[in-house]
Amino acid sequence: LFMLFDMSFFTYLFYHILEKTTFKKSVIYLLIAFYIFYVLDRFFLQNNGEYLSYARSLMGLNLVIFSLLYFFNLFDFTKPEENLTRKADFWIVIGIFFFYLTSTILLSAINYMVSLGKELWKFYNPETMKYLAMALYSFYIVGFLCHKTEKK
């Protein structure tokens, strides 16, 4: 259930920071597709109580797509005089992009090796996810520290 909360929260975030209507619609459609796939995965594909790796992979893919939409949005709506390093949402999206891109690739590769019965997955260091999470939260912190509100 936490995955549903995560995806809903991030969808809400991206829906409000994206300015293009087509991008906002894409975010909503991808959320609906994720909900449908999550239910199918939970009850039909991986219903034996194991980690929902397929749904987690789709969530990671969706968040990478949301991040790319944000970056495309920046090209269209950012004024040349605007300093991106002072925008909290810029740093937060960079953190989300790098964390979910790397962790999704890593977890998908491990899941694939386990499904093949290969012993290679034993060389995976569980600390790797902690380091990726620390990088994600570091980007959040940088975003909040560098954020400057607009003076009116």
Side-chain angles (χ1 to χ4, degrees):
L1 290 177
F2 187 71
M3 207 179 305
L4 293 174
F5 172 77
D6 262 1
M7 191 63 189
S8 300
F9 172 77
F10 284 126
T11 300
Y12 178 81
L13 171 77
F14 280 100
Y15 185 82
H16 286 285
I17 62 175
L18 292 172
E19 296 179 30
K20 266 190 169 181
T21 308
T22 54
F23 288 174
K24 288 184 178 210
K25 286 180 182 178
S26 299
V27 166
I28 296 300
Y29 293 144
L30 286 171
L31 176 68
I32 292 167
F34 174 76
Y35 283 159
I36 292 168
F37 184 77
Y38 181 89
V39 169
L40 292 173
D41 189 27
R42 180 78 185 118
F43 295 109
F44 300 110
L45 298 173
Q46 294 179 314
N47 60 354
N48 58 358
E50 66 186 57
Y51 177 67
L52 300 175
S53 59
Y54 301 147
R56 169 56 176 81
S57 295
L58 182 61
M59 182 179 86
L61 178 66
N62 280 351
L63 292 175
V64 168
I65 291 170
F66 293 174
S67 300
L68 291 173
L69 289 175
Y70 172 80
F71 295 134
F72 285 124
N73 194 74
L74 280 180
F75 293 132
D76 289 342
F77 291 101
T78 302
K79 300 171 190 84
E81 67 275 0
E82 194 172 2
N83 187 359
L84 291 178
T85 60
R86 293 290 184 191
K87 292 181 69 157
D89 55 348
F90 175 74
W91 290 104
I92 291 169
V93 172
I94 285 179
I96 291 168
F97 177 74
F98 283 117
F99 175 79
Y100 282 99
L101 179 65
T102 55
S103 66
T104 301
I105 291 170
L106 181 66
L107 292 175
S108 297
I110 291 168
N111 188 44
Y112 179 70
M113 285 187 275
V114 168
S115 71
L116 290 177
K118 302 285 184 190
E119 297 295 317
L120 289 174
W121 69 271
K122 291 184 179 178
F123 295 106
Y124 164 68
N125 183 0
E127 298 292 313
T128 306
M129 287 303 289
K130 290 180 186 175
Y131 296 132
L132 290 174
M134 286 186 338
L136 171 70
Y137 297 131
S138 297
F139 280 115
Y140 288 175
I141 291 168
V142 168
F144 290 122
L145 292 177
C146 291
H147 181 67
K148 254 192 178 169
T149 56
E150 294 179 16
K151 294 179 184 175
K152 294 182 180 182

